[in-house]
Amino acid sequence: MSVAPWICRSCFRALARRQPRQFLRHASNETLAPSLLQRAVSLKTEHDALRRTLSDSFDAARAKRAAELARVAAALAAWQDAQAAIAELSSMLDDPAQDRDLAAIARDELEAENSRLQSLARDLSVSLTPRHPYADLPCLIEFRPGPGGLEGRYFADAIFKMYKLLCARRGYRCSVLKYELADTAGDQSSAAGEMPLQEAILEVHEPGAYDIFRGEAGMHRVQRIPSTESKGRVHTSAVAVWVLPSFPEVDAADLLDFENPESDFYINPSDVRTETMRARGAGGQHVNKTESAIRLTHVPTNTVVSMQDHRSQQRNRDEAWKTLRMRIADQRREQKEAEAARLRNSVLSKAQITRGDKIRTYNYNQDRCTDHRAGIDVHNLPNVLQGGETLDRVMDAAKEWLVARDVQGVIAEEEASKQ
């Protein structure tokens, strides 16, 4: 049997091309929900329009939106290229006059492109999920023992040390904000050197740490035989883990940078409606006969500021803008604090600190760690508890589960909007 000569991919497609690109519309898109594809096309159209607008005049809000949509546009372009390649290869295989050797190469290429398409479809789906607003922030990881008595406190210390060792291995900067032992247990430690932990807080200073660790929040269950158990019975305990965004202290200069869209004091001028009017009350004829008073309305929040204390309209305008920025900044700080409290309560409430609401189980007898959301089992439990590579596998699986859940949420949202 003759062996097909080697030929590079570009030359191969150039020689074998028989059909124009209209076959793209026949390419299979079974790996991508139609609602997601429609959303991606719509967002890419918006991205391209923003890029054209920004080429004429710069606007901070439009530039930020274009940057947010850039990953969708890039993912869609890569997916469309793969679709085009598959359509081209399929048309070559459907051609009865096609050279046998070239057809054999086309089959191999088609298999590789189909595999690549699945990966690109997943990347496109992920790009369509809204990025968590605190994804780029550092985080706080809180540990508190649940049911299980002294054994639960020992395991809380084991989980605390696990994440601390993980940070050390990955090179993440972290610090212990709180490490409090149970008063009733004294300094008594377990056979493994675990301390009876009452509560601990670990701050991970790495930017993006919240996105890395947010999948770890929930109830962690342990099944093992305590060193004090004389009859060899397996005890079940639980540890509650919270993961919260850590808002870094902002430099005063950055905080007061009114032109920085990241500042709490930034207000897009296009969001403000300005009205001039005659001032009322005492102040002489100039105040009463000229439109020196200013009223600013921040349309998105319906925040209204009026200023008429000065004879000069410009001075009233400056004072009104200063007051409006302070009010909007105060609202944004309150929203952040409320969101942090909501996140903490949504992760775990006191009623949820039970062994039955577990997200993960650490079984010592079976040398096994199971993530119940992702449905993954890994062995080599000592490596997990030492923050090793096996823990990486578990955390990656949990992150995949979170992404899949977000994708399903986007699909449901798109389908609901069409009804």
Side-chain angles (χ1 to χ4, degrees):
M1 182 176 67
S2 61
V3 180
W6 180 87
I7 183 171
C8 76
R9 179 179 299 184
S10 300
C11 296
F12 160 62
R13 290 179 180 167
L15 289 171
R17 187 174 289 113
R18 293 284 190 273
Q19 303 288 345
R21 290 279 178 158
Q22 65 262 26
F23 278 91
L24 175 61
R25 66 178 183 271
H26 300 300
S28 171
N29 62 349
E30 294 177 352
T31 57
L32 188 67
S35 57
L36 289 183
L37 179 58
Q38 184 176 354
R39 181 185 179 96
V41 172
S42 175
L43 293 178
K44 185 178 185 300
T45 301
E46 181 186 353
H47 173 265
D48 294 342
L50 287 171
R51 291 289 300 273
R52 290 191 296 269
T53 303
L54 289 170
S55 64
D56 297 331
S57 61
F58 179 79
D59 179 81
R62 289 194 180 98
K64 183 178 180 180
R65 176 61 176 167
E68 293 172 351
L69 299 178
R71 63 175 187 151
V72 178
L76 179 60
W79 183 84
Q80 288 175 331
D81 288 344
Q83 288 279 67
I86 289 174
E88 187 176 303
L89 291 167
S90 299
S91 66
M92 291 163 49
L93 291 174
D94 292 339
D95 186 358
Q98 186 62 258
D99 180 80
R100 184 188 306 173
D101 293 338
L102 290 178
I105 298 175
R107 276 190 292 272
D108 294 339
E109 289 282 336
L110 183 60
E111 183 179 351
E113 287 294 339
N114 275 319
S115 176
R116 177 169 169 264
L117 181 66
Q118 293 180 1
S119 175
L120 292 174
R122 180 192 172 281
D123 293 342
L124 179 56
S125 299
V126 172
S127 72
L128 290 168
T129 59
R131 185 168 173 78
H132 197 285
Y134 301 136
D136 297 324
L137 290 179
C139 73
L140 299 174
I141 309 177
E142 297 185 21
F143 308 87
R144 191 177 300 169
L150 184 60
E151 181 63 16
R153 300 188 188 282
Y154 285 151
F155 188 64
D157 190 44
I159 293 295
F160 167 77
K161 292 175 179 176
M162 178 183 76
Y163 288 113
K164 191 176 178 183
L165 289 170
L166 174 72
C167 291
R169 180 175 63 83
R170 292 187 177 182
Y172 297 162
R173 294 176 297 110
C174 66
S175 58
V176 179
L177 299 185
K178 185 176 184 179
Y179 187 82
E180 180 181 325
L181 300 180
D183 294 335
T184 56
D187 294 332
Q188 180 183 357
S189 63
S190 69
E194 301 158 345
M195 301 301 292
L197 188 64
Q198 175 69 26
E199 185 180 3
I201 302 177
L202 180 69
E203 182 174 16
V204 184
H205 303 283
E206 201 72 17
Y210 180 73
D211 192 49
I212 295 171
F213 287 98
R214 68 188 181 99
E216 300 301 292
M219 292 303 304
H220 294 241
R221 183 179 70 171
V222 60
Q223 294 175 324
R224 66 181 183 180
I225 302 174
S227 57
T228 56
E229 173 57 55
S230 59
K231 298 182 179 180
R233 292 174 298 185
V234 174
H235 287 219
T236 299
S237 305
V239 174
V241 175
W242 286 268
V243 180
L244 307 171
S246 174
F247 298 102
E249 295 184 2
V250 182
D251 184 80
D254 294 334
L255 186 65
L256 296 175
D257 185 1
F258 301 149
E259 303 302 323
N260 181 7
E262 302 300 323
S263 170
D264 285 342
F265 290 86
Y266 172 78
I267 297 178
N268 190 336
S270 63
D271 291 337
V272 178
R273 183 173 66 247
T274 304
E275 300 170 272
T276 59
M277 64 201 75
R278 293 185 181 181
R280 296 181 180 180
Q285 292 183 357
H286 179 83
V287 170
N288 295 317
K289 292 183 179 180
T290 61
E291 294 189 342
S292 59
I294 292 291
R295 180 164 60 202
L296 302 180
T297 303
H298 187 244
V299 178
T301 61
N302 198 31
T303 302
V304 180
V305 172
S306 298
M307 189 64 61
Q308 64 171 29
D309 294 352
H310 306 285
R311 292 165 57 93
S312 166
Q313 184 190 92
Q314 184 59 47
R315 188 171 179 185
N316 281 329
R317 187 188 303 273
D318 293 341
E319 291 294 330
W321 268 101
K322 179 180 178 180
T323 303
L324 183 63
R325 288 191 179 100
M326 293 296 293
R327 290 185 182 179
I328 295 299
D330 190 54
Q331 291 176 15
R332 288 169 177 167
R333 280 194 293 267
E334 289 180 355
Q335 289 172 359
K336 288 180 180 180
E337 293 172 359
E339 177 64 12
R342 187 196 66 79
L343 283 171
R344 192 180 195 283
N345 293 332
S346 66
V347 173
L348 284 173
S349 66
K350 292 182 178 179
Q352 289 178 304
I353 303 182
T354 64
R355 288 184 286 256
D357 295 305
K358 75 269 184 191
I359 64 166
R360 193 171 295 161
T361 293
Y362 305 78
N363 190 300
Y364 278 64
N365 286 5
Q366 298 177 11
D367 188 32
R368 169 179 56 84
C369 178
T370 299
D371 191 279
H372 301 283
R373 303 160 300 174
I376 182 176
D377 292 323
V378 299
H379 293 276
N380 194 3
L381 186 58
N383 185 260
V384 172
L385 296 173
Q386 291 165 9
E389 290 80 2
T390 312
L391 178 59
D392 291 342
R393 292 174 53 198
V394 180
M395 292 179 62
D396 290 344
K399 187 73 177 293
E400 291 288 333
W401 174 82
L402 281 175
V403 169
R405 186 188 63 175
D406 292 343
V407 169
Q408 290 302 316
V410 172
I411 294 175
E413 180 183 334
E414 286 295 311
E415 293 178 349
S417 64
K418 296 176 183 178
Q419 296 177 355

